[in-house]
Amino acid sequence: MKLYILDNGWMECDENWIVCLNSYKTKTNREATSRWIKIPVYCVLIDIGNEKILFDTGQNPNEYDRSIRCPYYYREEQLLINQLKSLHLEPTDIDKVILSHFHDDHCGNMDIFKSAEFYIAQDEYDYVKEALDNHQKPKGAYKYAHLNIEKIHLVKEDIKIHDHIQLINLPGHSKGLLGMIVHLEKEGTLLFPSDAVDTHLNYGPPAMPQYSQYNLEKYYESIEKIRNLQERLNAKIIFSHDMEQFMTLKKAPDYYE
Ligand SMILES: [Zn+2]
């Protein structure tokens, strides 16, 4: 089993969006300024020989929905389609796609995987469906949440989709959110919490909030669930938008096994 990190470019934003009030002025530091930071966008590909599983589909390069607050940048080779190509894969080679949630930097390219089975948290799907059915915009970055998926598994309870791969429910950042735990022979256990934990600063302890969550109480509960799992499984957490950590990760075509 091989696990590839597919680099899909980066976004830039004020750090306070990621870690709420990480920088602010005080009586003794009236000149404090906030930081403009780069945050990675990436997908995870697991190759189990006869099966290819993709966790998240990255940002859609054709539109910049959050261009002022959080612009997206990429080099040609970082496009998801080109990342797959570098591994000699086409979208039709992907058997399963797990969407951690429906925000645009995670589901942006979902439409190119026509033949894959999709996995998404039931609560997330229902929330977006209800909003779209009522012609409302769901709260958050939902531009590419397309629901015309042919083969879809709506995930209610934490489930195993393979002997060594588990999907876990981590709601809070969005209405429903799936993280992924992968047990690798050499590397050990990796836990991908997606935006349930953006960076090591959000993870703490103490856990720190993002600027906005769908449900703050559930956000904290999910972080404690991750902490318990990390301890129990001796897992390494791979944060979703932590450039400091991302720089240290192996990227495709290199892989973990
Ligand atoms: Zn994100």
Side-chain angles (χ1 to χ4, degrees), residues 58-163:
Q59 182 66 274
N60 190 310
N62 297 319
E63 301 208 32
Y64 305 137
D65 196 28
R66 300 190 267 172
S67 58
I68 295 174
R69 175 171 77 74
C70 198
Y72 171 63
Y73 300 96
Y74 64 97
R75 295 188 304 274
E76 202 61 23
E77 72 267 21
Q78 291 171 318
L79 291 172
L80 180 57
I81 198 111
N82 291 337
Q83 287 284 301
L84 291 172
K85 244 180 220 158
S86 74
L87 300 172
H88 311 290
L89 293 172
E90 298 291 330
T92 47
D93 294 320
I94 304 300
D95 302 287
K96 291 178 176 163
V97 174
I98 301 145
L99 293 177
S100 65
H101 59 307
F102 269 135
H103 287 177
D104 55 16
D105 53 322
H106 299 264
C107 73
N109 298 293
M110 62 182 284
D111 283 352
I112 66 175
F113 300 99
K114 303 275 186 224
S115 54
E117 281 174 51
F118 279 75
Y119 290 78
I120 181 112
Q122 170 105 51
D123 283 348
E124 182 75 347
Y125 183 88
D126 290 347
Y127 171 64
V128 174
K129 183 167 185 347
E130 193 185 332
L132 296 181
D133 284 350
N134 293 320
H135 306 288
Q136 287 164 353
K137 188 184 179 310
K139 179 186 161 196
Y142 280 99
K143 186 166 172 113
Y144 298 103
H146 298 155
L147 303 181
N148 52 340
I149 308 164
E150 231 168 81
K151 289 174 268 180
I152 187 162
H153 299 266
L154 297 176
V155 179
K156 244 182 168 159
E157 309 292 335
D158 298 355
I159 54 160
K160 266 188 167 182
I161 59 166
H162 176 269
D163 276 355

Side-chain angles (χ1 to χ4, degrees), residues 11 101 105-106 195 198 241:
M11 297 191 289
H101 59 307
D105 53 322
H106 299 264
D195 289 0
D198 284 332
H241 293 301

Side-chain angles (χ1 to χ4, degrees), residues 9 20-21 25 28 31 42 56 81 102 136 139 156 173-174 195 240:
C20 186
L21 278 183
K25 292 178 170 52
T28 52
E31 303 311 318
Y42 70 90
D56 278 343
I81 198 111
F102 269 135
Q136 287 164 353
K139 179 186 161 196
K156 244 182 168 159
H173 168 77
S174 49
D195 289 0
S240 62

Side-chain angles (χ1 to χ4, degrees), residues 14 19 22 53 63 117 123 131 171 173 181 224-225:
D14 188 310
V19 188
N22 193 51
I53 299 174
E63 301 208 32
E117 281 174 51
D123 283 348
H173 168 77
I181 297 171
E224 290 323 306
K225 177 175 176 176

